[in-house]
Amino acid sequence: MRLRRRSGVESVRVISGQAKGHPLKAVPGNNTRPTTDKVKESMFSIIGPYFEGDRVLDLFAGTGGLGIEALSRGAEHAVFIDANAKSIEVVKANLASTRLSAKAEVYRNDASRALKLLERQGKPFDILFLDPPYAMTNCDQLLLEAASRGLVADRAVAVVEHSPEVQYDDRYGAFERTKHVVYGEIALSIYRYYSEADPATEGETPDESSV
C-alpha cells in the first residue's frame, strides 16, 4: 500500500494491480504503525510482484493493507485477523471500497486462537503476513504453530515485519529465511516454507541488505 501526506495527514493507497491508487481508511488512534511506500514496494517486489490463485493470511491485519495489496495483485482469497475491533471495522470498509470483499474473510481474534480455528477449514496459505506490534517478538512461534496446524502450503512465503533490534533466526523448522532487509527502523525477514527438504537450498545463506 502507498502512503501519501496531505495537509499533514497520511493517506494510504494501494500501490498496484486491480485496485491501484485506491485510497484506504486508516485505523483511528496511534496504535497502528504506518509502513512506508519504500518498504511496501520492496516487499512486494521480493515476493511477487503479482500472484495467481494464492491464498493469503494477514495475521495482524491493521488496516488490511497487506492482504488487500495481495488481492489487488491477483491473489485468489485472503483471511484477515486482528484482535482490535476498530481494525476489523476498517478492514471491512477497505475491502468494500476496493470491491474485494468477495475474496476475503475477516475475523476478530487473537492470532494464536485464530490459527486453531483456521485449522478446522483445512486450507493452507501460500502467503503469510505477520506485522505485529513491535512489542511482540514471537513470530517464530506463530509460524511454527501455523505449520503444525497444516496452514502453510509447500513453498509458501512468510513475511515478518519487525524492529531491527529483534533478531530472528535463519531457520525455524521447515521455514528458511531467504531475505533480510532493513529500512531504518523497519526490518523484513522473508521466509520460504519447504514441507520436504529441497537439496537446491541446502547450505545456502539468506540474502541480507540494509537501506
Side-chain angles (χ1 to χ4, degrees), residues 19-112:
K20 180 179 179 179
H22 197 98
L24 301 177
K25 292 179 62 176
V27 179
N30 298 316
N31 293 327
T32 301
R33 182 185 66 256
T35 304
T36 65
D37 286 3
K38 192 172 186 178
V39 174
K40 286 290 186 289
E41 294 196 47
S42 173
M43 178 191 301
F44 281 92
S45 176
I46 294 168
I47 70 171
Y50 298 100
F51 314 103
E52 184 176 355
D54 294 289
R55 282 177 49 81
V56 178
L57 176 60
D58 195 343
L59 197 54
F60 298 89
T63 64
L66 291 177
I68 288 173
E69 186 73 41
L71 289 175
S72 178
R73 292 170 182 253
E76 181 177 308
H77 192 80
V79 176
F80 297 82
I81 305 294
D82 204 287
N84 186 300
K86 291 181 179 179
S87 289
I88 292 300
E89 292 176 5
V90 169
V91 171
K92 290 180 178 179
N94 285 333
L95 285 166
S97 66
T98 53
R99 300 181 181 180
L100 292 169
S101 298
K103 295 184 176 183
E105 300 172 58
V106 185
Y107 301 107
R108 183 187 178 191
N109 214 326
D110 167 82
S112 186

Side-chain angles (χ1 to χ4, degrees), residues 2-209:
R2 183 176 297 276
L3 294 175
R4 298 181 184 273
R5 185 176 295 275
R6 294 179 180 176
S7 302
V9 178
E10 287 183 339
S11 62
V12 184
R13 295 178 181 271
V14 179
I15 292 173
S16 187
Q18 174 186 337
K20 180 179 179 179
H22 197 98
L24 301 177
K25 292 179 62 176
V27 179
N30 298 316
N31 293 327
T32 301
R33 182 185 66 256
T35 304
T36 65
D37 286 3
K38 192 172 186 178
V39 174
K40 286 290 186 289
E41 294 196 47
S42 173
M43 178 191 301
F44 281 92
S45 176
I46 294 168
I47 70 171
Y50 298 100
F51 314 103
E52 184 176 355
D54 294 289
R55 282 177 49 81
V56 178
L57 176 60
D58 195 343
L59 197 54
F60 298 89
T63 64
L66 291 177
I68 288 173
E69 186 73 41
L71 289 175
S72 178
R73 292 170 182 253
E76 181 177 308
H77 192 80
V79 176
F80 297 82
I81 305 294
D82 204 287
N84 186 300
K86 291 181 179 179
S87 289
I88 292 300
E89 292 176 5
V90 169
V91 171
K92 290 180 178 179
N94 285 333
L95 285 166
S97 66
T98 53
R99 300 181 181 180
L100 292 169
S101 298
K103 295 184 176 183
E105 300 172 58
V106 185
Y107 301 107
R108 183 187 178 191
N109 214 326
D110 167 82
S112 186
R113 287 198 296 269
L115 294 178
K116 295 177 183 178
L117 296 174
L118 290 171
E119 181 181 13
R120 300 175 186 175
Q121 296 184 0
K123 298 178 181 180
F125 295 94
D126 304 288
I127 305 170
L128 297 88
F129 295 115
L130 286 77
D131 181 14
Y134 275 7
M136 294 183 62
T137 59
N138 66 333
C139 286
D140 52 340
Q141 298 173 28
L142 292 171
L143 287 176
L144 291 172
E145 182 177 356
S148 70
R149 296 186 181 281
L151 296 175
V152 187
D154 185 35
R155 303 300 180 90
V157 173
V159 181
V160 178
E161 186 172 333
H162 58 94
S163 166
E165 297 179 1
V166 175
Q167 300 299 316
Y168 283 105
D169 292 342
D170 291 339
R171 286 184 174 82
Y172 293 108
F175 287 97
E176 178 182 345
R177 188 161 65 177
T178 59
K179 191 83 171 180
H180 180 246
V181 190
V182 177
Y183 297 94
E185 297 180 353
I186 298 173
L188 299 179
S189 286
I190 299 176
Y191 292 86
R192 178 76 70 171
Y193 181 78
Y194 298 99
S195 58
E196 297 181 2
D198 187 341
T201 65
E202 291 184 356
E204 291 185 358
T205 56
D207 180 10
E208 297 206 18
S209 57

